[in-house]
Amino acid sequence: VEEADDLVAAHDLKKLMVHDRVFHQAISRAAHNPLLGEVISRVHDRILRFWFIALSDRDQVRRVDDEHERIGRAIAGRDADAAEATSRDHIESFRKRITTAI
């Protein structure tokens, strides 16, 4: 999560997309859930084109970074309820951005 700050500041969407994939895959590995990793990988493959649509605005990129930070803090704090809630918020937030953008 901390590594994304420079990418967000530079608004480097290509590297942020790679970083996002790594972030989500790290969660699936930490959860010892290979099925989750497979699902995340397939979703990422399908939504890459939406990244450029939904995240062309710097403020939106910062919001995604903030969402990742909240998810990371919840996981690091071993707060399962907060991790679930922040993950759901992250998914819903992205869905809303995509819907608005298209």
Side-chain angles (χ1 to χ4, degrees):
V1 171
E2 293 171 4
E3 294 174 10
D5 291 340
D6 291 338
L7 301 176
V8 170
H11 198 69
D12 188 335
L13 292 183
K14 289 181 182 180
K15 287 183 182 175
L16 280 167
M17 289 187 325
V18 171
H19 195 280
D20 186 73
R21 181 182 291 266
V22 169
F23 173 78
H24 289 279
Q25 289 297 327
I27 291 172
S28 69
R29 280 192 308 278
H32 304 287
N33 189 336
L35 179 59
L36 176 61
E38 183 180 318
V39 169
I40 288 171
S41 183
R42 286 185 180 172
V43 168
H44 263 269
D45 291 344
R46 294 180 188 269
I47 66 167
L48 287 178
R49 70 186 82 125
F50 293 118
W51 257 88
F52 290 102
I53 295 169
L55 300 177
S56 59
D57 178 4
R58 288 181 182 270
D59 290 335
Q60 290 190 21
V61 172
R62 285 187 191 97
R63 280 191 287 274
V64 168
D65 188 47
D66 290 343
E67 291 166 0
H68 283 179
E69 287 181 20
R70 286 193 299 274
I71 292 167
R73 279 194 306 269
I75 292 170
R78 298 187 180 274
D79 185 341
D81 292 336
E84 178 183 357
T86 55
S87 295
R88 287 182 186 275
D89 290 346
H90 177 57
I91 293 165
E92 182 60 19
S93 174
F94 193 77
R95 186 195 65 76
K96 285 180 180 177
R97 282 192 296 272
I98 294 296
T99 302
T100 300
I102 57 173

